[in-house]
Amino acid sequence: MPSIFQNGWWSCGWDMLGNGHISAAIPGMWDQFSGGDFGIDVQPTYAAFTGKGIACSHNSFIGRTLGVNLNSLDYGVYFLTPALPGAGTIQSFMTIANAGATVIAFGYNSLGQVGAYAVGGPGVGAIGTQIGALSQQNTIVPNSYVPMEVGFTPTAVTLRINGTVVLTVTGAFGAANQIFLGCGGSNFSIQFDHFYVLDLTGAAPFNTFLGNWRIQTDAPIADSATGGLNAWGFTTPQGTDWQNAANIPPNPAQNNLSATVGARMSFRFPALNTTRVFGLNCWLSAEEDSAGTRTIAPIYRSNSVDQPGAVIALPSSFTYFNQNSVVDPNTASQWFSGSVAAAGSCEIGAEVNS
Amino acid sequence: MPNAVIDQLVREGLLQDQANAIVSQLLRESCVSDNANAVCNGFYREALISTDGLGPIPQKATSLAAYYQTGWFGNDSPDLMKMFRFGHIVTSNSGIKLTAQVVDDENYTFNNPLIVPLKIVAGNRFSVNRKGRRMNILIEFPPNDVDITVLELSVSYIPSSQR
């Protein structure tokens, strides 16, 4: 598997998935999965802010293989527990792993103290062998969504909650290539939302913790403002490129298709309500419909200036792909330092590449 | 007299031919167009944006429980350090959770008490096993729509030292 990182980051907010249980790994998105006792559920009620989040039941986990061995990485996720575990139980909830083996895992106890562990964790097994000291009591407060960020280096790992370091452990940590989120310990469901991970090769702001972030997912609201850019054929209903692409979850029977090299589809999206945009990321569900070799390339388009993404070789079944963007193609400046309005009005689409 | 006219006469002999035809490879190379369509049925924009201006995340209120916090056990002899051993609670229905707050006026004060989750075991008893001058108990009732009456709640301790 190639590296998942583009411009130094990868993100997922789960908002494009349908409500209900995830029953298996999601091709192209989350390649590691176990339903545990009661599965993993996607619902708006599990969201921090808006959109959707996930609830991982007892012994369930979801994970992402990074496709690259990293000695240093940062990641962030919003976290909520409905309760603290009983006395003597360590509730595991996150694992940094290497090919299914624990590099470092995190859990909390009945007093709300978070600890780091060298054995087990979601995606691996029963948690054990504490590393270093525990955090202060009541670090974990039930029923409150908090942004949680992990900084992983070869010699130290830090855990930040609400931007404050609550735990630092030192050691000799090997390379990591997987991240798991899940629930081990007591029989309740842990909720997650707004996941990002950095390989620390990107330019600022993607070279350190994002701090105050969230992921806003939007479906298209219109075809391109430029005539001729929606040349893909479409099924009816819905009868337009943008409507077929806007189903949440994707509907296999309502799609856009093209075998014409150079044919484009380009979508407009709603304005963004924020003060700053770290970056844009598009997720698309795509396939090729018969034997052959068809490739596409996502394209960002700002003020009629295009920014093609990496070429995607399509498989024969619907699979998620993503392409992010950190620079406004119109101004060549970062979305982070540029106009929120420009980011909101940036069209995103795809072109048949070959 | 009409003539018989023959303009061709050939012999087709159905013979057994002992020579073998040998084909070691037969390939078809076709130069055709690839008609596979690229098909897209979902396209979404994920914007990684700042939370500036959003304020705190609202607390989850989907299952707000009812609580009752008792008065302070051991407050009648605050000069006495006690070993709170266990308690006994009798309720008319099940599903409650208990949390103890223990204060010793040294490491754990009223503003920063030691918080001890309690587990109810057989005989409606719960173990505390913490030292302090006084403690209280927070009763969390289940979010279900059921009646629960607390009939008895007691805490037992062993006097430790006067100081």
Side-chain angles (χ1 to χ4, degrees), chain A residues 11 13 45 47 110-111 143 212-214 216-218 220 245 247 256-259 270 272 274-276 278-279 281-289 293-294 344, chain B residues 34-60 62-63 67 97 108 112-117 130:
Chain A
S11 66
T45 52
S110 61
L111 303 178
N143 280 320
N212 59 346
W213 84 99
R214 69 182 180 97
Q216 169 72 43
T217 306
D218 291 294
N247 287 316
N256 305 320
L257 69 168
S258 177
L272 290 168
T274 182
T275 57
R276 181 164 282 187
F278 292 106
N281 185 30
C282 71
W283 280 100
L284 60 148
S285 168
E287 67 167 12
E288 61 179 12
D289 64 355
T293 305
R294 187 65 66 207
Chain B
D34 184 352
N35 290 316
N37 285 302
V39 186
C40 176
N41 70 338
F43 204 105
Y44 315 101
R45 180 191 66 189
E46 264 192 1
L48 193 52
I49 58 180
S50 163
T51 57
D52 289 347
L54 279 185
I57 308 169
Q59 287 266 344
K60 295 285 181 180
T62 51
S63 60
Y67 293 90
K97 296 178 182 175
Y108 301 105
N112 183 29
L114 173 64
I115 298 171
V116 186
R130 293 289 194 284

Side-chain angles (χ1 to χ4, degrees), chain A residues 177-270:
Chain A
N177 54 30
Q178 287 176 314
I179 295 173
F180 292 92
L181 308 171
C183 175
S186 300
N187 186 11
F188 53 68
S189 294
I190 297 175
Q191 299 172 30
F192 298 98
D193 200 0
H194 306 298
F195 178 83
Y196 78 83
V197 55
L198 314 178
D199 67 4
L200 303 178
T201 64
F206 295 104
N207 57 0
T208 186
F209 304 106
L210 298 183
N212 59 346
W213 84 99
R214 69 182 180 97
I215 292 172
Q216 169 72 43
T217 306
D218 291 294
I221 56 170
D223 281 344
S224 174
T226 305
L229 279 195
N230 285 89
W232 286 41
F234 44 75
T235 56
T236 302
Q238 303 266 352
T240 59
D241 278 357
W242 74 267
Q243 284 176 301
N244 282 336
N247 287 316
I248 295 179
N251 182 342
Q254 297 179 2
N255 56 61
N256 305 320
L257 69 168
S258 177
T260 306
V261 173
R264 289 183 61 169
M265 58 178 177
S266 190
F267 303 123
R268 283 181 279 178
F269 293 86

